[in-house]
Amino acid sequence: MGYIRHSRAGGNELSGRKETLKFDEIGEFGFIESIKNECITTLKDVIKGIGDDCAVFGPYSGRVLLFTTDMLVEDIHFVKAKITPYQLGWKSIAVNLSDIAAMGGRPLILLISLAIPSEMDVEIIQDLYKGMKDICEHYKVNIVGGDTVASPDKLVINVSLIGDAKENEVLYRSGARAGDSIYLTGNIGDSFAGLKILKKEISPSEPIASHFIKIHNEPKPLIETGMAIAASGFANAMIDVSDGLLSDLGHICKESDVGAILFRSKVPLSSELKLLASREKFNPLKLALSGGEDYILLLTVPQINIKDFEIVCKDKGLLPLYLIGKIVEGKGIKMVNDDGSLEEIDIKGFNHFSPSLL
């Protein structure tokens, strides 16, 4: 027997009586699209709902509140044997902080909810909280509450974070315009290389393996960089690279109703990743484009602002900064190859309802 499903016409009906769409078919973003309408019952104070790194409320005396939440599920987002409790606590906060950074905001307070298997050692959760508290202290964020419940067998971590920003400085995914240049604030692909090592898909020697695993397990959200970019007033749109460069650039293109062109030779890859790829015989660019969890910032800047923007970034020490492409009219993402040819790119990134990460 299936679930009882509510009918909008009134009454209930049994689900499962006819073939229905499954989550592994619709995917995370397809599901979000299917439920985003009719979520806002009153427009009072709601500036942005579903469709960006944070929801935005306000304004209140010239500032807005930023709300974000993320959930980590054991054996989907992490495996206990491949990350320490301390690192897991750090990372569970970092991924939320990165959402605030993507909007140009300042993190303020957060709530932590845990579903804990009853047989789990208390020391594990204490170490988890040590990682959480340390990253919160570093970024001056207060833990103000949450919830704790029992889980049948897996550890589940949910963090909800509130930040704020000046109303006129918030950067959305929807601001990109044709002619904008596309920038990244760091290399991509190193975190995904760390994941491949954890999954034993590649087996480099030490200290190379630990270098990439640490990057994957201990991300460093770019709060100060995001705030400085937003305060400059020179950028049009921004997002953090969490689902992969192509996927996250695709989000900007979709919300802004534009297309994009990337320059193959300009996509920033670390020397360590290039060396690893040479030794392990994989394509580092392909890995970097589709991998995720880099937690650097991807942004667009109009041509008229480029010179001033780069000067501000240099003066404020916001380097490295890489110009990797441009926003164009139309749909989709294309790649300019080294020989000048143009290639249509298939946009793929992390999907929570495809087979588990680990």
Side-chain angles (χ1 to χ4, degrees):
M1 179 178 290
Y3 287 101
I4 300 294
R5 185 172 58 204
H6 180 73
S7 169
R8 292 190 68 129
N12 296 314
E13 58 186 55
L14 280 174
S15 68
R17 286 184 173 174
K18 61 180 181 179
E19 188 173 347
T20 57
L21 192 64
K22 306 299 183 184
F23 271 92
D24 59 357
E25 298 171 321
I26 191 172
E28 175 188 3
F29 302 115
F31 171 69
I32 292 172
E33 281 296 317
S34 75
I35 56 94
K36 65 186 291 187
N37 293 332
E38 300 177 342
C39 282
I40 306 300
T41 59
T42 172
L43 291 177
K44 178 177 171 55
D45 296 341
V46 179
I47 297 174
K48 181 65 179 180
I50 295 172
D52 220 302
D53 286 285
C54 298
V56 184
F57 296 80
Y60 309 107
S61 302
R63 300 189 71 84
V64 294
L65 292 176
L66 308 174
F67 289 72
T68 186
T69 186
D70 267 294
M71 184 178 295
L72 301 180
V73 179
E74 184 180 346
D75 292 338
I76 298 294
H77 303 96
F78 66 92
V79 170
K80 288 185 296 185
K82 298 178 180 179
I83 188 170
T84 68
Y86 181 93
Q87 290 174 324
L88 181 58
W90 176 285
K91 186 171 184 176
S92 65
I93 305 298
V95 300
N96 285 270
L97 291 172
S98 189
D99 285 337
I100 297 289
M103 307 291 287
R106 170 184 65 173
L108 297 173
I109 61 175
L110 59 82
L111 298 98
I112 300 166
S113 295
L114 302 178
I116 306 170
S118 58
E119 73 279 3
M120 179 168 283
D121 292 343
V122 173
E123 185 179 3
I124 291 175
I125 302 303
Q126 290 175 335
D127 288 345
L128 179 86
Y129 259 90
K130 181 66 167 63
M132 291 174 166
K133 290 175 179 178
D134 280 358
I135 189 173
C136 284
E137 180 180 8
H138 180 81
Y139 288 99
K140 298 178 173 59
V141 180
N142 293 314
I143 301 171
V144 297
D147 193 18
T148 304
V149 299
S151 167
D153 58 353
K154 305 295 183 184
L155 176 63
V156 180
I157 305 166
N158 185 79
V159 176
S160 297
L161 177 61
I162 298 175
D164 75 344
K166 291 183 179 179
E167 179 188 5
N168 61 353
E169 291 183 1
V170 177
L171 287 167
Y172 298 91
R173 300 176 181 182
S174 57
R177 299 292 179 265
D180 286 4
S181 290
I182 304 169
Y183 286 89
L184 280 174
T185 63
N187 295 316
I188 58 172
D190 285 1
S191 177
F192 199 55
L195 177 61
K196 289 177 74 69
I197 294 168
L198 288 171
K199 293 171 68 175
K200 300 188 183 305
E201 292 180 3
I202 53 177
S203 302
S205 60
E206 294 292 354
I208 296 174
S210 292
H211 167 79
F212 288 105
I213 290 172
K214 184 177 178 65
I215 290 173
H216 180 74
N217 284 344
E218 300 178 31
K220 293 178 171 55
L222 301 178
I223 294 293
E224 292 185 0
T225 299
M227 291 177 64
I229 290 171
S232 76
F234 294 135
N236 273 346
M238 191 156 67
I239 191 173
D240 70 325
V241 181
S242 56
D243 296 322
L245 174 60
L246 292 180
S247 181
D248 289 315
L249 179 56
H251 295 326
I252 285 182
C253 289
K254 180 178 183 300
E255 293 297 323
S256 299
D257 195 25
V258 294
I261 291 177
L262 295 176
F263 308 127
R264 179 181 293 272
S265 61
K266 299 297 184 181
V267 176
L269 307 175
S270 70
S271 57
E272 292 86 355
L273 181 63
K274 292 177 182 178
L275 178 61
L276 178 67
S278 174
R279 291 178 176 177
E280 298 290 334
K281 302 190 185 319
F282 65 84
N283 184 333
L285 179 64
K286 182 178 180 181
L287 178 143
L289 292 176
S290 60
E293 297 194 83
D294 297 293
Y295 298 111
I296 59 172
L297 299 175
L298 171 68
L299 59 140
T300 77
V301 178
Q303 291 295 313
I304 194 172
N305 291 344
I306 285 179
K307 183 177 180 181
D308 290 334
F309 173 68
E310 293 185 349
I311 290 173
V312 166
C313 289
K314 183 177 181 180
D315 289 345
K316 291 185 176 295
L318 304 183
L319 303 176
L321 186 71
Y322 302 99
L323 197 165
I324 64 165
K326 63 181 179 180
I327 297 294
V328 296
E329 294 181 353
K331 303 289 184 183
I333 299 174
K334 297 181 175 64
M335 179 78 76
V336 177
N337 295 315
D338 295 339
D339 61 4
S341 62
L342 206 58
E343 177 185 353
E344 191 86 32
I345 301 295
D346 184 21
I347 302 174
K348 289 183 179 179
F350 177 64
N351 175 6
H352 284 90
F353 296 100
S354 56
S356 64
L357 273 175
L358 295 170

